[in-house]
Amino acid sequence: MKNNLDLIKIDSGRLGVINFNNMIPVKENNYELFDLNSKPTTTAELNRQNLLKSQLLLLNKNI
C-alpha cells in the first residue's frame, strides 16, 4: 500500500493506517470516549494508550 489521497500510513505503517474511504458518520451512542490522560491499570491499557498518543501526535503534526 502506498500513501495517496484516501490512504495514509502513520509512521510508514508502523503505527497503523487510515483509510478515508472507510470513514462514515457515527451517532454518539455508537462510540466511547477514551481518556488519554487517565492512569492505565493494566499493561494492555498502557500499550493502547501509548499507541493512541503516538498516532495522535503524528496526525496532529501532519494536518
Side-chain angles (χ1 to χ4, degrees), residues 1-4 7-9:
M1 277 187 256
K2 292 183 180 179
N3 285 346
N4 57 42
L7 184 106
I8 295 176
K9 291 182 182 180

Side-chain angles (χ1 to χ4, degrees), residues 4-49:
N4 57 42
L5 290 176
D6 62 348
L7 184 106
I8 295 176
K9 291 182 182 180
I10 304 171
D11 196 18
S12 299
R14 190 177 67 81
L15 297 177
V17 176
I18 297 175
N19 187 341
F20 293 106
N21 284 339
N22 292 336
M23 298 180 84
I24 58 172
V26 179
K27 293 183 179 182
E28 286 188 31
N29 61 339
N30 292 324
Y31 65 86
E32 181 178 325
L33 293 179
F34 190 84
D35 184 4
L36 293 177
N37 295 316
S38 67
K39 186 168 182 142
T41 58
T42 65
T43 303
E45 285 180 9
L46 177 63
N47 292 339
R48 178 177 170 95
Q49 200 173 61

Side-chain angles (χ1 to χ4, degrees), residues 49-60:
Q49 200 173 61
N50 287 337
L51 174 64
L52 291 171
K53 284 180 179 179
S54 298
Q55 290 172 335
L56 185 61
L57 179 68
L58 286 167
L59 288 170
N60 284 334

